[in-house]
Amino acid sequence: MTRSKRQLQKHQTRQQIIEAALHQFAKDGLTVARTSDIATSANVSHGTVFSHFPTRELLLDTVIEEFGMRLAKRLHELVGDHCGMKDVLFAHIRGIREYEAFYTRLILEGRFLSESSRHSFIMIQSTISFHMIQIAEKEMKNNKICSQPVELLFNTWIGLIHHYLINGDLFAPDGSVLERYSEQLIDHYLNLIKGEY
Amino acid sequence: MTRSKRQLQKHQTRQQIIEAALHQFAKDGLTVARTSDIATSANVSHGTVFSHFPTRELLLDTVIEEFGMRLAKRLHELVGDHCGMKDVLFAHIRGIREYEAFYTRLILEGRFLSESSRHSFIMIQSTISFHMIQIAEKEMKNNKICSQPVELLFNTWIGLIHHYLINGDLFAPDGSVLERYSEQLIDHYLNLIKGEY
Amino acid sequence: MTRSKRQLQKHQTRQQIIEAALHQFAKDGLTVARTSDIATSANVSHGTVFSHFPTRELLLDTVIEEFGMRLAKRLHELVGDHCGMKDVLFAHIRGIREYEAFYTRLILEGRFLSESSRHSFIMIQSTISFHMIQIAEKEMKNNKICSQPVELLFNTWIGLIHHYLINGDLFAPDGSVLERYSEQLIDHYLNLIKGEY
Amino acid sequence: MTRSKRQLQKHQTRQQIIEAALHQFAKDGLTVARTSDIATSANVSHGTVFSHFPTRELLLDTVIEEFGMRLAKRLHELVGDHCGMKDVLFAHIRGIREYEAFYTRLILEGRFLSESSRHSFIMIQSTISFHMIQIAEKEMKNNKICSQPVELLFNTWIGLIHHYLINGDLFAPDGSVLERYSEQLIDHYLNLIKGEY
DNA sequence: CATGAATGAGATTTCATTCAT
DNA sequence: GATGAATGAAATCTCATTCAT
């Protein structure tokens, strides 16, 4: 029992650091955010960060992985079995919205991260594309959406969403771009890909 | 005369620095490239960089502005008067391709630059959108492309292109993504937006 | 009874720490070895080290003292009553050989330790010199070794041995210098100091 | 000329740093001395140290090499052509005496330095042994010193000197051990190795 | 008494910027 | 105007030590 309390404490600190890092990385950038700021923001000493994560890179890896897992789980919850394309797109946006800032940083800086972080990020994208492509193929058969390469279909959507996220400060200076544009973007996208009958 | 010779010399050095900076910023990133590397690459001393551009930020601003002007000029040359959507898209890609690396960096890091750099970047985007939107409106009237908000039409294209550029290392590990995918992307996009008649 | 059991336990832990420290200090150096490594090597927690030895310095002091006592005892066993110079030299080397690495560290770093550690180390040297000088004086009378200041006689021997220990990596890259050179060094030394008759 | 003044300045700063480092390494130890203390002691900013020597290790390498060259040069000056063993020993001690503290640190810590520093140190030792062994062989032929392996002869002397240096604080608490004991040590050593005739 | 998470002082290194030449 | 040596403010990471459990 004594042990479990200590373990709990440790786990809690670890989570605090991860949460603070998630916030700081989102705010200042994956490559710019300082470990000392993360420590301050997590209400622990600077040294404590390194007692949980030997290097900054390892912390970042962990944070990205954690984010990936949360997002995957959330998407899984949101994407029901019998849903159509529209539902998937909504789920996608809702899933991302909870971590909008961090996800945007990941789009921007993901390319320059360590092998393992990069891998985590690619996994995250795969999770999203998996659902979309599955639905797309089904709806193409039904002629609900017109036949075309699923890869391009997916990339068009992702590109559109990322474009709005990346330029969030222009599209929605105060607040969430996703919140503001999700409906419009989904409608537009569905209109673009809808089948002709 | 002596003075004008000096001024010429000065102007030449300035251009060397800008050129070198363009190269280094593209190669190492807008926030990461070192002023000392730029100096080396420009064949001038480190100090000289600062005698032409008081701060690193000012140099970056200048480089972005310069890039913007060149791109605008190039696009103007490439986009003829009587051209259709396809021609504009091709022109767009061809214009960007000459500075693919730098342009990609701008997409990735543009948001976090100084007010004035950010402004330059936005101007660049406007130049591109101006041509596209003009054509789009014309072709919508002709029913060549289906009627829809031009803003979204433009953003879909930009998002798609940017997505490929940002993930260039995945889509085209060795070489230019634009070279490899331009045709495919243009065809796909035109197919998406084509009018139904 | 319970108390005595606890005390036993405590004493045992203390000995484990001392033993581990002896090993780590020998391996990594008196000033470099980490308390956390000592803890790990002693199969106790890092904190336990400090519950037995308030500071790292005190632990080091204790270890050196312990080493001194063991060496003194060992030398006492090895040096018989009726032995000659050769026997003493052999005993000396055999005594040291058991702790070759630690002893070497002591030669190298002993000078920069705390007062008390330094004192312990000097005591160790005295133990050795005591035996040598006693024999030397006897053998000088017998003309077995030629007459000369005992202090210098002793220092010449010590210097020679220490030189080989300090440069062990050159003289015996894999293995014990003492094992490899003891005979040769003893013969050489005896030859140098032998009486002329 | 302007250039030469700047170059002179730079060279001077470099020398100041080397001199300060020589002093600090001697005082605090090759592995312990702080770059910031060296900077302070050299009257330059901390950054300046790194603008001349990219890493601490490179600075140490340079200092050791510099020391080696100075010592070699000094020994060369001191060791005449027609001198005997006694002269060589005196020269050796006089050469070392000028850098007594640094040389002592080198004995103590040389083993744990980088490959190149270690190499420099070994070169230094070789310089010394070269002279001694040459003389020794000549004097053995003359029967001035008794015949024995030159390697051991050399190591006995080196060991003796190093022993006094290492324990300088005991043998000569305030001042130079070499100054105090050189004569006595040389006499003793010569006596030990003298030929029997 | 043992534990081990948390602490924080300090060490090396980087790099935009300044300024004497 | 050009030069490049000097500057010094960070940033990451280490480790002896403390103290709540």
Side-chain angles (χ1 to χ4, degrees):
Chain A
M1 283 305 128
T2 334
R3 164 167 293 193
S4 95
K5 184 165 184 185
R6 281 263 280 267
Q7 281 185 327
L8 190 72
Q9 190 82 278
K10 182 180 180 180
H11 184 254
Q12 210 172 334
T13 303
R14 192 186 149 90
Q15 285 307 313
Q16 274 172 45
I17 294 171
I18 289 177
E19 222 59 53
L22 199 57
H23 177 250
Q24 289 292 324
F25 283 135
K27 182 166 158 283
D28 300 333
L30 305 186
T31 51
V32 172
R34 291 181 291 258
T35 50
S36 62
D37 285 350
I38 292 170
T40 305
S41 158
N43 268 103
V44 297
S45 77
H46 196 187
T48 299
V49 173
F50 291 90
S51 107
H52 283 267
F53 305 92
T55 65
R56 183 189 186 282
E57 194 177 329
L58 227 59
L59 169 59
L60 180 52
D61 284 1
T62 306
V63 169
I64 291 174
E65 212 172 336
E66 170 83 16
F67 164 72
M69 274 162 24
R70 290 192 200 175
L71 183 60
K73 192 179 156 213
R74 195 78 185 91
L75 288 178
H76 204 73
E77 287 165 13
L78 291 167
V79 179
D81 277 351
H82 317 293
C83 65
M85 181 60 86
K86 187 166 190 169
D87 305 302
V88 173
L89 301 183
F90 257 118
H92 179 206
I93 284 183
R94 251 172 87 187
I96 292 173
R97 188 156 70 197
E98 288 163 34
Y99 300 97
E100 188 171 321
F102 188 79
Y103 183 79
T104 304
R105 287 295 182 175
L106 220 40
I107 300 167
L108 293 174
E109 308 183 46
R111 182 166 167 182
F112 310 103
L113 301 177
S114 71
E115 197 67 20
S116 73
S117 287
R118 183 111 184 83
H119 181 73
S120 290
F121 182 43
I122 291 171
M123 282 298 101
I124 293 168
Q125 300 290 42
S126 296
T127 306
I128 297 167
S129 83
F130 172 75
H131 289 299
M132 261 192 78
I133 286 175
Q134 229 178 6
I135 304 286
E137 282 172 341
K138 203 173 66 187
E139 303 214 345
M140 276 190 228
K141 278 188 196 144
N142 301 350
N143 249 359
K144 281 190 184 167
I145 66 178
C146 76
S147 179
Q148 51 199 300
V150 284
E151 193 74 12
L152 284 167
L153 209 67
F154 174 67
N155 287 334
T156 304
W157 169 249
I158 286 289
L160 187 62
I161 293 299
H162 287 189
H163 182 62
Y164 274 78
L165 284 170
I166 290 173
N167 297 286
D169 59 334
L170 293 180
F171 289 120
D174 340 280
S176 155
V177 226
L178 293 182
E179 194 172 329
R180 182 152 162 195
Y181 286 93
S182 54
E183 224 158 330
Q184 192 178 338
L185 291 175
I186 289 170
D187 286 349
H188 170 67
Y189 180 72
L190 288 175
N191 188 45
L192 277 183
I193 66 169
K194 74 161 178 285
E196 319 162 14
Y197 55 100
Chain B
M1 283 304 132
T2 331
R3 167 168 293 191
S4 91
K5 195 172 173 186
R6 258 206 179 175
Q7 283 186 327
L8 186 72
Q9 168 65 24
K10 186 177 174 183
H11 183 255
Q12 211 171 340
T13 303
R14 191 185 151 90
Q15 284 307 311
Q16 276 172 46
I17 294 171
I18 289 176
E19 219 59 52
L22 197 58
H23 177 250
Q24 288 292 324
F25 283 134
K27 182 167 159 284
D28 300 333
L30 305 186
T31 51
V32 172
R34 286 184 289 262
T35 51
S36 61
D37 284 350
I38 291 170
T40 305
S41 160
N43 268 102
V44 298
S45 75
H46 196 186
T48 299
V49 172
F50 289 87
S51 95
H52 284 269
F53 305 93
T55 67
R56 184 188 185 280
E57 195 177 327
L58 230 59
L59 168 59
L60 181 51
D61 285 0
T62 307
V63 169
I64 291 174
E65 211 171 337
E66 170 82 17
F67 164 73
M69 275 162 22
R70 290 192 201 176
L71 183 60
K73 192 179 156 213
R74 194 77 185 94
L75 288 178
H76 204 73
E77 287 166 14
L78 290 167
V79 179
D81 277 352
H82 318 293
C83 65
M85 180 59 86
K86 187 166 190 169
D87 305 301
V88 174
L89 300 183
F90 258 119
H92 179 206
I93 283 184
R94 250 172 88 187
I96 292 173
R97 190 157 68 195
E98 288 164 35
Y99 300 97
E100 188 170 321
F102 188 80
Y103 184 79
T104 304
R105 289 293 182 176
L106 219 40
I107 300 167
L108 292 173
E109 309 181 48
R111 177 164 171 185
F112 309 102
L113 301 177
S114 71
E115 198 67 22
S116 73
S117 286
R118 183 103 186 90
H119 182 72
S120 291
F121 183 44
I122 291 169
M123 283 298 102
I124 293 167
Q125 299 291 41
S126 296
T127 307
I128 296 166
S129 83
F130 172 75
H131 290 298
M132 262 193 76
I133 286 176
Q134 230 178 5
I135 303 286
E137 282 173 341
K138 204 174 66 188
E139 303 214 345
M140 276 191 227
K141 277 186 196 143
N142 301 351
N143 247 0
K144 280 190 186 168
I145 66 178
C146 76
S147 179
Q148 51 201 300
V150 284
E151 192 72 11
L152 284 168
L153 209 64
F154 173 68
N155 287 334
T156 303
W157 170 249
I158 286 289
L160 187 61
I161 294 299
H162 287 190
H163 181 62
Y164 274 77
L165 285 170
I166 289 174
N167 296 288
D169 60 332
L170 293 181
F171 288 120
D174 338 282
S176 155
V177 224
L178 292 183
E179 195 173 327
R180 183 152 161 194
Y181 286 93
S182 53
E183 225 159 327
Q184 191 178 339
L185 292 175
I186 289 170
D187 286 349
H188 170 69
Y189 181 70
L190 289 175
N191 188 45
L192 277 183
I193 66 171
K194 74 162 180 284
E196 322 163 13
Y197 56 100
Chain C
M1 282 304 129
T2 331
R3 166 166 294 192
S4 90
K5 196 173 174 186
R6 260 206 179 177
Q7 282 186 328
L8 187 73
Q9 168 66 22
K10 184 175 175 184
H11 183 256
Q12 210 171 340
T13 303
R14 191 186 151 91
Q15 284 307 312
Q16 275 173 46
I17 295 171
I18 290 176
E19 219 60 51
L22 197 59
H23 177 249
Q24 289 293 322
F25 282 134
K27 180 165 160 287
D28 299 333
L30 306 187
T31 51
V32 172
R34 287 185 289 263
T35 50
S36 61
D37 285 350
I38 291 169
T40 306
S41 160
N43 267 103
V44 298
S45 76
H46 196 186
T48 299
V49 173
F50 288 87
S51 96
H52 284 268
F53 306 92
T55 66
R56 185 188 184 278
E57 195 177 325
L58 229 59
L59 168 59
L60 181 51
D61 285 358
T62 307
V63 169
I64 292 174
E65 211 171 338
E66 170 81 17
F67 165 72
M69 274 161 24
R70 289 193 202 176
L71 183 60
K73 191 178 156 215
R74 194 75 184 94
L75 288 178
H76 205 72
E77 287 165 14
L78 290 166
V79 179
D81 276 352
H82 318 293
C83 65
M85 180 59 87
K86 188 165 189 171
D87 304 304
V88 174
L89 300 183
F90 258 119
H92 178 206
I93 283 183
R94 250 173 89 187
I96 292 172
R97 190 155 70 196
E98 289 165 33
Y99 300 97
E100 188 171 321
F102 188 79
Y103 184 79
T104 305
R105 289 293 182 176
L106 219 41
I107 299 167
L108 293 173
E109 308 181 50
R111 179 162 170 186
F112 309 101
L113 301 177
S114 70
E115 198 66 23
S116 72
S117 287
R118 183 105 185 89
H119 182 72
S120 292
F121 183 42
I122 292 170
M123 283 297 102
I124 294 168
Q125 299 290 42
S126 297
T127 306
I128 296 167
S129 84
F130 171 75
H131 289 298
M132 261 192 77
I133 286 175
Q134 230 177 7
I135 303 285
E137 282 172 341
K138 203 173 66 186
E139 302 212 347
M140 275 191 229
K141 279 188 195 140
N142 300 352
N143 248 1
K144 280 190 185 167
I145 66 178
C146 77
S147 179
Q148 51 199 301
V150 284
E151 191 72 11
L152 284 167
L153 209 66
F154 173 68
N155 287 334
T156 303
W157 170 249
I158 287 290
L160 187 62
I161 294 299
H162 286 191
H163 181 62
Y164 274 77
L165 284 170
I166 289 173
N167 296 287
D169 60 333
L170 293 180
F171 288 120
D174 337 282
S176 156
V177 225
L178 292 182
E179 194 172 328
R180 183 154 162 193
Y181 286 95
S182 55
E183 224 158 329
Q184 192 179 337
L185 292 176
I186 289 171
D187 287 348
H188 171 68
Y189 181 70
L190 288 175
N191 189 46
L192 276 183
I193 67 170
K194 74 164 179 282
E196 321 162 13
Y197 54 99
Chain D
M1 281 309 125
T2 336
R3 164 168 294 193
S4 94
K5 186 166 181 184
R6 281 261 280 265
Q7 281 185 328
L8 190 74
Q9 190 82 278
K10 182 179 179 179
H11 183 254
Q12 210 172 334
T13 303
R14 192 186 148 90
Q15 285 307 315
Q16 275 172 44
I17 294 171
I18 290 176
E19 222 60 52
L22 200 57
H23 177 248
Q24 289 291 325
F25 283 135
K27 181 165 159 285
D28 300 333
L30 306 186
T31 50
V32 172
R34 290 179 291 258
T35 50
S36 63
D37 285 349
I38 291 170
T40 305
S41 159
N43 267 101
V44 296
S45 78
H46 197 187
T48 299
V49 172
F50 290 88
S51 108
H52 283 266
F53 305 93
T55 66
R56 185 190 185 279
E57 193 177 328
L58 228 58
L59 169 58
L60 180 52
D61 283 0
T62 306
V63 169
I64 291 174
E65 211 172 337
E66 171 83 16
F67 164 73
M69 274 162 24
R70 289 191 200 177
L71 183 59
K73 193 179 155 212
R74 196 74 185 95
L75 288 178
H76 204 71
E77 287 165 14
L78 291 167
V79 178
D81 277 351
H82 317 293
C83 65
M85 181 58 88
K86 186 166 190 168
D87 304 304
V88 174
L89 301 183
F90 257 118
H92 178 205
I93 283 183
R94 250 172 89 188
I96 292 173
R97 189 156 69 197
E98 288 163 34
Y99 300 96
E100 190 171 317
F102 188 79
Y103 183 79
T104 304
R105 286 295 183 174
L106 220 39
I107 300 167
L108 293 173
E109 307 182 48
R111 182 165 169 182
F112 309 102
L113 301 176
S114 71
E115 197 68 19
S116 74
S117 287
R118 182 111 185 84
H119 182 71
S120 291
F121 183 43
I122 291 171
M123 283 296 101
I124 293 169
Q125 299 291 40
S126 296
T127 306
I128 297 167
S129 83
F130 172 75
H131 289 299
M132 263 193 75
I133 286 176
Q134 228 177 9
I135 304 284
E137 282 171 343
K138 205 173 65 186
E139 303 213 345
M140 276 191 226
K141 277 189 196 143
N142 300 352
N143 249 358
K144 280 190 185 168
I145 66 178
C146 75
S147 180
Q148 53 200 299
V150 285
E151 192 72 12
L152 283 168
L153 208 66
F154 174 69
N155 286 335
T156 304
W157 169 249
I158 286 290
L160 186 61
I161 294 300
H162 287 189
H163 181 62
Y164 274 78
L165 285 170
I166 289 173
N167 296 287
D169 60 332
L170 293 180
F171 288 121
D174 339 280
S176 156
V177 224
L178 292 182
E179 195 173 328
R180 183 152 162 196
Y181 286 93
S182 55
E183 224 159 329
Q184 192 178 339
L185 291 175
I186 289 170
D187 287 348
H188 170 67
Y189 181 70
L190 289 175
N191 190 45
L192 277 183
I193 65 170
K194 74 161 179 284
E196 319 164 12
Y197 54 99

